[in-house]
Amino acid sequence: MYAERVLSGMRPTGSLHLGHYHGVLKNWVALQHQHPCLFFVADWHALTTQYDDPQGIVAASWDMVIDWLAAGVDPQRATLFIQSQVPEHAELHLLLSMMTPLGWLERVPTYKDQQEKLESKDLSTYGFLGYPLLQSADILIYRADKVPVGEDQVPHIEFSRELARRFNHLYGREAGFEDKAREAVKRLGSKRARSYTQLRTYFQQNGDKTAIERAHALLDEVPGLAHADRERLCGYLEGTGKMILVEPGALLTAASRMPGLDGQKMSKSYANTITLREDAASVTHKLRRMPTDPARVHRNDPGDPDKCPVWQLHQVYSDEACQAWVQQGCRSADIGCLDCKQPVIDGILAEQAPMRERAQPYLDDPRLVQEIIAEGNQKARQLARETMRDVRGAMGLNYR
Ligand code: TRP
Ligand code: SF4
């Protein structure tokens, strides 16, 4: 059986925290046992917003790879590499840019969102507009079937699907496909042909997916439509001819509600994080200082776990018995907040211990990380080259 290929990337944003672990890395570790996986450092993507300050990117990339290894991503199972070390991504990005309508890029929701969010930066650049296009090249160049991402990235996966479809449509047709398809449209009869053509235009110009559904419904009702014609008409509609690039699917990671030290979602921008390999003293210190239910001013004041961020961490780290102990002890003031925090501290330290251990050899000898990445780069590049050979061939760009 064909094993679906999984690919995902992460921008090198500095040390990863437990939110990344619970939200992304745990999932990668599970996937590597089920699929051939490719995981890469999206260093060029970092440049789209950090072009004015690229100096830290390389160091952040190495740190991040160590965090991946620490989390249990296994280089024997998954291929780990760095985007910029596989320059074929840039070639595919360029070729795809020729056929990418500007409107498609401008309509991607993250474009305006991020521009507004990072308004101190000038992001009215060609590279930033092209962010989803570069991401599409990352995905399509490996013919990835599944892309594990968070909810915010789903529009980018959709974008990749549409691009793959457009590419296959433009360059993947059977000989004489256009003519044959147009003949088939005529055979629909003038009224149906007009509707079909209109729906096709809606889809191709606006990416309107209901248009596809309506066109399929229309074709379903044509009496005696020949199978070959039906295939052509569907292909003509959506732009699927011969499949050169594979349409990927998003593999939605269950939204992790990993709370930070203040009860908000753990995120660097809220300064509420615990890093993956943070030392034990610092973890203990941060936890002991964590705010609790403000009603518990004195040791004897009862509290309400629902109003306390520590309780949220208990939900991640504690078993049922411990959670019952918290509920009862907090509401009756039988336990103090420091008592209550101790099992969370222990839980986090226990989670981190194997990570610190796994990271140590790489910290002692960074060449080990470089070797893993060099090997991954090579493997990835081999796959990327195969796709580019087909892509160039389909476009007629063969000089030999
Ligand atoms: N845009 C992704 C993020 O911000 C990172 C990324 C770049 C990516 N290229 C990718 C993710 C390809 C999946 C596949 O998280
Ligand atoms: Fe929070 Fe625990 Fe203190 Fe209750 S006892 S307020 S749950 S830290």
Side-chain angles (χ1 to χ4, degrees):
M1 197 187 84
Y2 171 73
E4 288 186 314
R5 187 180 284 166
V6 165
L7 168 114
S8 198
M10 219 189 267
R11 279 172 300 158
T13 49
S15 291
L16 300 185
H17 51 66
L18 292 175
H20 293 113
Y21 177 66
H22 287 274
V24 184
L25 292 173
K26 258 188 351 194
N27 188 232
W28 286 13
V29 170
L31 284 168
Q32 72 187 355
H33 295 284
Q34 300 156 6
H35 297 274
C37 288
L38 295 144
F39 299 125
F40 73 97
V41 180
D43 57 344
W44 279 338
H45 275 100
L47 272 179
T48 62
T49 52
Q50 225 178 294
Y51 58 85
D52 55 345
D53 180 25
Q55 297 309 327
I57 290 178
V58 167
S61 297
W62 292 124
D63 274 355
M64 188 166 77
V65 174
I66 293 179
D67 279 338
W68 293 356
L69 296 164
V73 176
D74 178 357
Q76 302 295 327
R77 293 183 176 275
T79 302
L80 310 184
F81 67 98
I82 294 177
Q83 183 185 36
S84 67
Q85 303 307 296
V86 186
E88 283 77 7
H89 290 226
E91 185 185 354
L92 184 57
H93 172 261
L94 177 90
L95 293 179
L96 292 174
S97 78
M98 304 301 172
M99 40 152 280
T100 304
L102 268 181
W104 287 20
L105 287 166
E106 286 160 348
R107 265 198 303 275
V108 175
T110 46
Y111 177 57
K112 289 225 162 62
D113 288 356
Q114 289 291 104
Q115 267 187 340
E116 279 162 22
K117 210 166 133 202
L118 305 172
E119 67 184 337
S120 58
K121 285 204 175 149
D122 181 4
L123 292 182
S124 48
T125 57
Y126 181 47
F128 186 70
L129 178 66
Y131 187 111
L133 182 56
L134 180 57
Q135 184 163 349
S136 300
D138 299 338
I139 297 168
L140 299 176
I141 206 161
Y142 299 106
R143 297 182 158 132
D145 303 284
K146 291 277 174 254
V147 186
V149 287
E151 188 120 38
D152 62 314
Q153 295 289 308
V154 170
H156 293 175
I157 311 303
E158 275 296 306
F159 184 90
S160 310
R161 296 172 64 82
E162 271 157 33
L163 264 181
R165 221 179 282 145
R166 187 168 169 89
F167 183 95
N168 291 335
H169 168 62
L170 285 169
Y171 311 115
R173 291 161 295 185
E174 62 179 316
F177 176 81
E178 290 270 337
D179 290 340
K180 286 180 190 156
R182 270 194 289 265
E183 287 298 314
V185 176
K186 271 190 212 147
R187 280 193 287 276
L188 289 175
S190 65
K191 190 153 162 258
R192 284 205 177 92
R194 212 173 321 118
S195 308
Y196 172 91
T197 307
Q198 214 170 43
L199 291 167
R200 178 172 178 268
T201 310
Y202 284 155
F203 175 69
Q204 305 237 326
Q205 287 182 356
N206 309 323
D208 178 357
K209 262 171 251 98
T210 58
I212 297 249
E213 285 161 26
R214 284 163 61 202
H216 282 168
L218 180 143
L219 294 179
D220 284 342
E221 280 169 20
V222 182
L225 178 64
H227 182 70
D229 271 359
R230 195 196 149 80
E231 293 267 285
R232 284 190 192 107
L233 289 167
C234 288
Y236 192 50
L237 190 66
E238 298 191 59
T240 46
K242 188 173 145 220
M243 206 171 65
I244 298 162
L245 296 177
V246 173
E247 283 183 44
L251 202 60
L252 250 186
T253 317
S256 135
R257 292 195 312 109
M258 180 64 191
L261 292 162
D262 54 359
Q264 297 188 80
K265 182 183 155 91
M266 190 178 282
S267 160
K268 207 172 161 186
S269 50
Y270 299 144
N272 64 357
T273 62
I274 296 170
T275 60
L276 224 59
R277 295 177 278 122
E278 189 151 336
D279 72 80
S282 164
V283 172
T284 308
H285 180 69
K286 281 184 179 174
L287 261 293
R288 291 174 77 93
R289 281 185 33 208
M290 243 183 104
T292 61
D293 176 0
R296 291 206 76 181
V297 183
H298 305 293
R299 169 67 179 76
N300 293 332
D301 297 333
D304 178 357
D306 291 335
K307 298 190 175 128
C308 177
V310 178
W311 169 244
Q312 295 190 41
L313 288 175
H314 272 293
Q315 289 172 298
V316 178
Y317 287 99
S318 302
D319 60 20
E320 255 175 63
C322 178
Q323 290 185 10
W325 171 76
V326 172
Q327 286 289 344
Q328 199 277 328
C330 177
R331 293 177 196 280
S332 61
D334 277 355
I335 60 172
C337 289
L338 285 179
D339 307 325
C340 177
K341 287 172 171 180
Q342 195 56 47
V344 173
I345 296 175
D346 296 341
I348 294 177
L349 294 180
E351 180 172 75
Q352 287 176 317
M355 300 206 220
R356 230 176 278 118
E357 205 170 296
R358 273 192 294 259
Q360 200 55 51
Y362 302 114
L363 295 169
D364 293 341
D365 186 359
R367 277 175 312 182
L368 295 176
V369 188
Q370 287 168 4
E371 279 164 22
I372 288 169
I373 290 297
E375 198 177 309
N377 289 342
Q378 221 169 28
K379 278 194 205 155
R381 200 158 184 202
Q382 189 61 40
L383 297 171
R385 280 192 176 130
E386 283 166 23
T387 306
M388 286 316 296
R389 202 190 43 220
D390 294 350
V391 164
R392 286 187 217 108
M395 295 178 75
L397 292 169
N398 277 334
Y399 288 88
R400 280 185 288 185

